[in-house]
Amino acid sequence: MSDDIRKKRLWWHSRRGMLELDVILIPFVEQAFDALSEDDKQRYEDLLAQEDTELFVWFMDRQIPEDADLARIVSMVLEHARTRKL
C-alpha cells in the first residue's frame, strides 16, 4: 500500500464521530503522521483499532494505556495537540 493511500485510510479512521477525539486525532494525522518512524506509524494504526471509550479516557488525561506502545503514541498525540498552532 502506498504511503498516500495509507494516510488517507488513517485519516478516515481518525474520524471517530466524537468531537473530542476528532479535534485531537485528525490534526495529528494531517500534520505529524508523515514525520513518524515506521514503528510509530504502526503504533498509530494500532491505536485507531481501540474502542472510542478507551481513546476518550486516554486523551482526556484520565488514564495511561497499560500497553507501552499505546502509551507512547498517546503521549505523542497529546503533545502534538498541546503544541500545535491553530
Side-chain angles (χ1 to χ4, degrees), residues 3-56:
D3 287 340
D4 188 47
I5 292 171
R6 180 185 191 188
K7 186 174 177 182
K8 286 177 183 177
R9 183 177 57 80
L10 291 173
W11 187 90
W12 280 105
H13 287 285
S14 296
R15 294 183 66 223
R16 306 304 283 207
M18 186 183 291
L19 181 61
E20 295 88 348
L21 297 177
D22 291 352
V23 299
I24 292 172
L25 295 173
I26 291 173
F28 181 81
V29 78
E30 289 176 344
Q31 300 164 4
F33 184 78
D34 291 338
L36 297 177
S37 70
E38 192 56 42
D39 287 342
D40 286 335
K41 287 179 180 180
Q42 184 59 53
R43 286 181 183 100
Y44 187 74
E45 286 190 53
D46 295 343
L47 177 71
L48 295 180
Q50 306 305 307
E51 296 291 329
D52 287 356
T53 53
E54 294 280 327
L55 296 175
F56 184 82

Side-chain angles (χ1 to χ4, degrees), residues 46-73:
D46 295 343
L47 177 71
L48 295 180
Q50 306 305 307
E51 296 291 329
D52 287 356
T53 53
E54 294 280 327
L55 296 175
F56 184 82
V57 169
W58 295 337
F59 288 120
M60 298 303 119
D61 285 328
R62 295 190 182 135
Q63 287 183 353
I64 298 171
E66 290 181 17
D67 180 277
D69 287 331
L70 289 176
R72 174 181 168 79
I73 197 67

